Amino acid sequence: MAAAGGGDAEAEEASAFGHAPVPADVSLPYGPHPDQVVDLYAPRGGTGPAPLVVLLHGGAWRAPYDRHHVSPLAARLAGYGFAVASVEYRRGPGHPGLRTGGAPGEGASVAGGLPVWEGNGPGAVPRAGRWPETFDDVALAVDRLPALIGEVQAAEGRTAVRGVPQGDPAWARVDPACTVLTGHSAGGHLALWAAARHRLPAGSRWHRAGPPPFRGVVALAPIADFATARRLGVCSDAAVQLLGGPEEWPARLPYADTAALLPTGVRTTVVQGATDADVPPDVARAFVAAAERAGQPVRLVLLDGVGHFPLIDPAAPAAAVVTDEIARLAGREPEPEPEPGHQPGSDPGSDPGHQSRVDPDPGPEHSR
């Protein structure tokens, strides 16, 4: 996933992907497809009601990247007293091990009628996203999460159900009514999109009526403005692939581009590395500008000397910024209770990062 730039960017990526995956406390299906699964992490710190953080992983909507690479971040957040739901979803139609023959771009490389690879030769990349399945999954997962949390809570004090630990009091504290969406890169886009479904046309398959049931969104280096992402060729034109190619772009853009679905009425923070070469800061700035034009100020936290991956790296100071922003929108102070198995990475008191710019919080009157 690393963009050109070498040096620090490569070291940042190696650090973020260098942690061992942290197993979830509970994994539950939210639908029949193997990718329709959510990993649940119980809150490990604090004693009061625990906000629910819905975590959507990145990877340019491409199949080789799944939720396991953000499990150390999920465990870190759980160690600070949040319940975490890490959502898997369908990505591109295949991965390098699934092409049907030949080198990337050579003939028979298709899955479900769509090419598995984009491009030819050494620069070929797995195709990004599935339309409409990627969006189907995120909408279904978010809608089903309160019921899934209820299943886990109902299992307390009884025989374990589908792997739910018997009598774990932490689950009783989980408060789905206090939910913050967060996601990284492509997952940041999906988090913003999930909070904007009420802005979709009423006839859309993903429309959700009524006010969105979320306290806020913390989008981490999100692919949030598709026009800017396309202009910059972000992640090898992943946004274009997600929508089915250039021929489908005009018709599908209004249903998928989060910049086109503003204002949402949900409080929103964008955390962005200033030296990010994978999703450059111009994408975040374009989204923030679109939000301001729509009458919804968005808080932008721009971190000096930080690239794309420290935002999900529990060993990086930037992860403390992410934790603080989630806690701020949840209306709670994080309450660390370190557990080696559930909180890899930086100490709770570590340097919160290098903030070069923080746009002021517009406050509850702009309860986004």
Side-chain angles (χ1 to χ4, degrees):
M1 289 173 60
D8 291 345
E10 292 181 1
E12 287 175 345
E13 182 173 1
S15 178
F17 283 84
H19 304 285
V22 181
D25 295 308
V26 185
S27 293
L28 295 175
Y30 63 85
H33 191 277
D35 283 337
Q36 292 176 323
V37 63
V38 59
D39 287 346
L40 300 176
Y41 296 79
R44 301 293 169 183
T47 56
L52 175 64
V53 177
V54 179
L55 175 60
L56 292 150
H57 69 83
W61 309 285
R62 292 190 167 107
Y65 306 98
D66 62 21
R67 69 194 184 283
H68 298 298
H69 77 269
V70 294
S71 63
L73 175 62
R76 183 187 200 278
L77 293 171
Y80 277 83
F82 301 110
V84 182
S86 181
V87 176
E88 192 56 271
Y89 53 90
R90 282 173 283 185
R91 286 99 55 218
H95 58 72
L98 293 183
R99 65 177 185 265
T100 58
E106 288 184 358
S109 183
V110 296
L114 292 175
V116 173
W117 292 86
E118 285 289 323
N120 295 280
V125 294
R127 189 175 179 86
R130 295 178 185 237
W131 182 281
E133 291 89 346
T134 299
F135 297 93
D136 287 345
D137 289 357
V138 172
L140 180 61
V142 169
D143 288 348
R144 288 220 61 208
L145 265 173
L148 292 177
I149 296 294
E151 279 189 43
V152 177
Q153 293 173 329
E156 291 184 13
R158 306 202 314 260
T159 303
V161 175
R162 284 197 285 182
V164 178
Q166 183 175 358
D168 185 346
W171 294 110
R173 300 196 292 109
V174 180
D175 181 12
C178 182
T179 295
V180 175
L181 300 168
T182 191
H184 177 242
S185 194
H189 160 264
L190 293 173
L192 292 167
W193 180 85
R197 287 168 54 208
H198 61 296
R199 296 282 298 162
L200 291 167
S204 166
R205 64 196 289 157
W206 306 304
H207 175 79
R208 177 168 178 154
F214 309 115
R215 288 290 182 90
V217 181
V218 179
L220 314 177
I223 306 178
D225 184 286
F226 275 12
T228 303
R230 185 178 189 182
R231 176 173 59 82
L232 297 176
V234 168
C235 297
S236 302
D237 286 329
V240 178
Q241 296 168 30
L242 174 68
L243 300 194
E247 66 281 356
E248 302 287 358
W249 176 271
R252 293 176 176 176
L253 188 65
Y255 295 88
D257 182 15
T258 52
L261 296 173
L262 295 161
T264 65
V266 180
R267 296 180 68 192
T268 300
T269 294
V270 173
V271 182
Q272 174 72 47
T275 60
D276 190 335
D278 291 87
V279 183
D282 280 355
V283 178
R285 292 189 182 103
F287 176 77
V288 170
E292 290 174 350
R293 290 194 299 270
Q296 176 178 323
V298 167
R299 176 178 168 92
L300 175 63
V301 180
L302 195 63
L303 304 182
D304 278 339
V306 172
H308 192 60
F309 293 101
L311 305 180
I312 59 168
D313 182 355
V321 177
V322 173
T323 304
D324 289 346
E325 290 300 321
I326 291 171
R328 189 181 64 82
L329 290 187
R332 312 289 171 86
E333 289 296 323
E335 301 178 72
E337 185 178 292
E339 284 196 15
H342 277 271
Q343 192 182 349
S346 58
D347 181 82
S350 64
D351 177 4
H354 309 285
Q355 300 186 37
S356 63
R357 174 188 169 197
V358 180
D359 285 355
D361 182 1
E365 69 273 16
H366 295 290
S367 183
R368 304 190 287 281

